[in-house]
């Protein structure tokens, strides 16, 4: 069992970057009018469009295939923009769309200024961007610059010789001589890769090793080289000049490496990210990035903050520091009863995380709120209940929470439909390099039997989130006309799909649309104070969001049991604004005594 949990956390690490060694509106981005007077503060916060936005993440490979090759593409996204716009979101985050050999589905970039051929052309991108702007939405793109692909021409050059002008674009080191080791050398240090094994790869051409914190085909860029930094700022300006509105920055805290690259101690190997992230020059590089690339544009930036604690967060996002607008902190995604993820969350732990965030991030530090993305299993399967009986109410409850908490909410594609985990049965059902590498580490090596391994990974695999969007009940969920999509569609597409939800006013899609509209209509849900009314309650999450006279009370029954619940602290629910149980919804109002049905969510004025 310990092993299983360890494997769970290990693969999670590969996915979400914890410890590997735990076991062996919208104009184009425009020049800021620098002379504009500072906007009036709202509850102490400087208002900004990206604070008021709701973001929708598109994973292009899995969104919509326009040309029948089984792979989602940019024209497919363009065709579905009305669907996204009608949900009410303001910003689309597009996972990597750049030229890539796809060792890690686009997170290994071969050319930062080119569109992946499978996704279309630059003209398709420009058309998509124009169509997004026309619909008064904005676009942020993924910035993957801790590493590139080994097929990027910088690396192709870099590996040719020790004196190649690009040699120092990457991190090369001689190995430690060991006649017994393959090639006669041990790696320069004991860094583990997030995708299994050593983070060093021997290159026979020059007989040195290069660092790759992720896959062998993802060599880490050397940010200490000013030429590398200038290349990055240049490519950022390239996309900003096209009109994109900002960036989601992949594993950005890893860019500054520890001087001398010493071995990790046994203690550090338990959580390498804590040491590999937030290196000595990270803040300097982010500030330089701000001044050399971002400052002239009106952008939104969000960093994937691997290895970054809540206490370290303000140093990155405090608006007086000019680094990033916000980061993704994974504390909430990682909660469950046993301190690990992907089980029914231990509600008091989850609530405590949100309270800590509210306490520790002051009015200068903005937050994000999310529980899913392309690296995690499905929202309703991990945090709700994906059984036929409770899938719909629990998915709606989760959207209620995400859209009423503090911070800019991020919705991952398909969660607005309540899409679920995939019934993975065998290794060949998976595409993800993280699973394939983990299979070698655990099953091929004999550490775990195949059934045990497959049982674990089916719950936690990133591929759960990457199965194609379920558009309708036709073959392959209407995602593609090809006989076989790149990754199988969840067989439940016949019942869970966009067409049926669009036709049903009580669907998860329409409920999410109403919740988004509610957030947009009330600044209290954006800038209001947050207070958890009942932190220890294991079943009910009840909190308030207040801004002056605008006072909201949110009550969520996080369980499949009905409960008679009395609001604490003398609080009385006022008018009921929204409930997730349309049709059977209670009309209880102006009372402290609430009879909550299973997975019921209510938003009140109070
Ligand atoms: C984080 C991305 O979200 C993930 O999908 C990717 O595998 C790693 N970074 C490496 O780029
Ligand atoms: Ca296609």
């Amino acid at each position: 069992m310990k092993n299983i949990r360890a494997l769970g956390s290990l693969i999670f690490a590969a996915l979400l970057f914890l410890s590997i060694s735990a076991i062996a509106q919208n104009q184009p981005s425009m020049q800021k009018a620098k002379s504009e007077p500072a906007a009036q503060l709202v509850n102490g916060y400087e208002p900004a469009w990206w604070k008021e936005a709701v973001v929708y993440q598109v994973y292009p490979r899995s969104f919509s295939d326009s040309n029948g090759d089984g792979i989602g593409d940019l024209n497919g996204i363009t065709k579905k923009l009305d669907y996204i716009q009608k949900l009410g979101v303001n910003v689309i985050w597009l996972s990597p769309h750049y030229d890539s050999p796809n060792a890690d589905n686009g997170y290994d970039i071969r050319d930062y200024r080119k569109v992946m051929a499978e996704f279309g052309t630059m003209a398709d991108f420009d058309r998509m961007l124009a169509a997004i702007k026309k619909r008064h939405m904005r676009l942020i793109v993924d910035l993957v610059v801790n590493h590139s692909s080994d097929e990027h021409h910088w690396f192709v050059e870099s590996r040719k010789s020790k004196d190649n002008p690009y040699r120092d674009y990457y991190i090369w080191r001689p190995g430690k001589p060991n006649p017994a080791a393959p090639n006669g050398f041990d790696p320069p240090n004991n860094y583990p890769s997030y995708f299994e094994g050593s983070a060093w790869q021997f290159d026979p051409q020059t007989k040195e090793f290069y660092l790759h914190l992720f896959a062998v085909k993802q060599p880490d860029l050397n940010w200490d080289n000013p030429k590398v930094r200038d290349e990055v700022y240049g490519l950022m300006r390239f996309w900003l000049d096209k009109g994109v509105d900002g960036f989601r920055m992949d594993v950005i805290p890893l860019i500054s490496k520890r001087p001398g690259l010493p071995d990790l101690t046994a203690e550090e190997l338990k959580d390498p990210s804590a040491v590999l992230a937030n290196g000595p020059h990270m803040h300097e590089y982010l500030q330089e990035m701000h001044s050399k690339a971002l400052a002239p544009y009106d952008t939104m930036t969000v960093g994937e903050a691997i290895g970054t604690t809540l206490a370290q967060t303000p140093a990155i996002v405090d608006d007086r520091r000019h680094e990033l607008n916000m980061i993704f902190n994974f504390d909430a995604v990682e909660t469950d009863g046993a301190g690990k993820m992907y089980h029914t969350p231990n509600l008091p732990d989850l609530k405590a995380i949100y309270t800590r965030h509210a306490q520790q991030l002051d009015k200068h530090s903005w937050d994000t709120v999310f529980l899913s993305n392309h690296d995690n299993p499905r929202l309703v399967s991990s945090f709700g209940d994906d059984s036929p009986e409770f899938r719909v109410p629990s998915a709606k409850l989760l959207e209620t929470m995400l859209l009423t908490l503090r911070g800019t909410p991020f919705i991952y594609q398909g969660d607005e439909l309540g899409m679920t985990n995939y019934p993975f049965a065998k290794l060949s059902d998976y595409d993800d390099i993280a699973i394939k590498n983990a299979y070698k580490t655990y099953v091929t090596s004999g550490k775990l039997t195949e059934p045990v391994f497959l049982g674990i990974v089916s719950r936690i695999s990133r591929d759960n989130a990457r199965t194609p969007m379920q558009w309708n009940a036709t073959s392959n969920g209407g995602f593609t006309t090809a006989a076989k999509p790149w990754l199988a569609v969840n067989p439940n597409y016949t019942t869970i799909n966009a067409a049926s939800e669009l036709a049903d006013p009580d669907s998860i899609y329409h409920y999410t649309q109403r919740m988004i509209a509610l957030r947009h209509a009330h600044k209290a849900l954006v800038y209001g104070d947050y207070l958890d009314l009942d932190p220890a309650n294991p079943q009910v999450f009840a909190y308030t969001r207040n801004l002056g006279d605008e006072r909201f009370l949110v009550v969520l029954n996080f369980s499949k049991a009905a409960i008679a619940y009395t609001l604490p602290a003398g609080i009385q629910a006022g008018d009921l604004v929204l409930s997730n149980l349309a049709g059977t919804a209670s009309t209880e109002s102006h009372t402290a005594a609430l009879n909550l049905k299973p997975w019921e969510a209510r938003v009140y004025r109070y």
Side-chain angles (χ1 to χ4, degrees), residues 278-292:
N278 294 285
H281 298 289
M282 183 193 71
H283 294 297
E284 178 192 323
Y285 296 160
L286 289 178
Q287 285 171 14
E288 183 184 75
M289 176 195 276
H290 184 267
S291 68
K292 290 200 173 171

Side-chain angles (χ1 to χ4, degrees), residues 72-356:
D73 47 56
L74 301 185
N75 287 340
I77 298 170
T78 305
K79 276 196 194 151
K80 299 292 184 186
L81 287 177
D82 286 341
Y83 169 89
I84 299 177
Q85 183 196 15
K86 280 190 189 128
L87 198 55
V89 301
N90 317 83
V91 176
I92 295 173
W93 154 24
L94 184 65
S95 275
H97 63 283
Y98 313 95
D99 176 44
S100 164
N102 284 306
D104 186 21
N105 282 354
Y107 282 91
D108 49 317
I109 297 172
R110 184 164 47 201
D111 186 337
Y112 289 96
R113 294 167 197 241
K114 219 169 138 190
V115 169
M116 191 190 299
E118 287 169 331
F119 291 172
T121 63
M122 193 61 90
D124 296 335
F125 181 89
D126 293 341
R127 255 195 313 277
M128 177 189 75
L129 182 58
I132 290 171
K133 306 258 171 191
K134 194 173 136 218
R135 287 169 179 76
H136 306 291
M137 295 186 288
R138 305 199 196 219
L139 178 69
I140 64 169
V141 292
D142 230 297
L143 184 73
V144 189
V145 288
N146 170 69
H147 44 268
S148 71
S149 163
D150 66 340
E151 297 183 26
H152 193 292
H153 82 88
W154 300 333
F155 192 77
V156 171
E157 287 298 317
S158 187
R159 78 192 324 175
K160 281 185 184 163
S161 67
K162 290 186 192 169
D163 57 4
N164 187 283
Y166 288 93
R167 184 67 168 182
D168 206 23
Y169 271 45
Y170 294 87
I171 300 172
W172 292 95
R173 293 288 183 276
K176 295 180 184 159
N178 173 4
N183 309 305
F185 296 98
D186 281 333
N189 77 10
N190 66 354
Y191 281 12
S193 154
Y194 287 98
F195 288 153
E196 308 292 333
S198 167
W200 295 97
Q201 179 72 12
F202 182 77
D203 202 48
Q205 180 72 25
T206 56
K207 301 197 170 24
E208 286 195 335
F209 289 76
Y210 67 86
L211 181 72
H212 63 90
L213 290 176
F214 293 88
V216 172
K217 284 181 70 62
Q218 291 168 301
D220 280 49
L221 283 159
N222 175 18
W223 273 70
D224 294 335
N225 180 349
K227 284 193 202 144
V228 168
R229 304 203 298 275
D230 281 341
E231 297 270 15
V232 170
Y233 308 148
L235 74 90
M236 290 172 73
R237 287 191 300 265
F238 172 84
W239 291 100
L240 290 168
D241 287 340
K242 274 194 169 288
V244 310
D245 300 284
F247 301 96
R248 175 271 187 185
M249 300 189 188
D250 192 69
V251 296
I252 198 73
L254 299 179
I255 57 176
S256 169
K257 314 298 187 214
R258 263 182 156 185
L261 302 175
D263 274 339
L264 299 181
T265 63
E267 197 50 35
E268 289 169 341
L269 278 167
K270 291 182 188 155
D271 184 7
S273 295
V275 181
L276 298 176
N278 294 285
H281 298 289
M282 183 193 71
H283 294 297
E284 178 192 323
Y285 296 160
L286 289 178
Q287 285 171 14
E288 183 184 75
M289 176 195 276
H290 184 267
S291 68
K292 290 200 173 171
L294 297 164
Y297 305 86
D298 179 15
T299 59
M300 159 177 169
T301 53
V302 52
E304 188 200 22
I306 180 169
T308 304
T309 62
L310 181 59
Q312 291 168 316
T313 301
I316 305 179
V317 304
D318 185 309
D319 55 17
R320 295 162 296 193
R321 294 177 56 87
H322 304 296
E323 296 187 19
L324 303 181
N325 295 143
M326 47 195 157
I327 62 164
F328 293 127
N329 166 299
F330 291 96
D331 291 351
V333 178
E334 290 159 19
T335 44
D336 83 341
K340 288 279 173 281
M341 64 189 315
Y342 308 142
H343 302 271
T344 308
N346 175 322
L347 196 56
D349 284 356
L350 186 67
K351 294 193 266 195
I353 288 167
Y354 293 130
T355 294
R356 277 202 299 278

Side-chain angles (χ1 to χ4, degrees), residues 56 83 87 399 412-418 469 501 508-509:
Y56 185 86
Y83 169 89
L87 198 55
E399 296 302 347
Y412 180 68
Q413 68 181 38
D415 285 346
E416 76 283 8
L417 302 174
M469 273 289 281
E501 297 217 19
I508 303 166
Y509 177 94

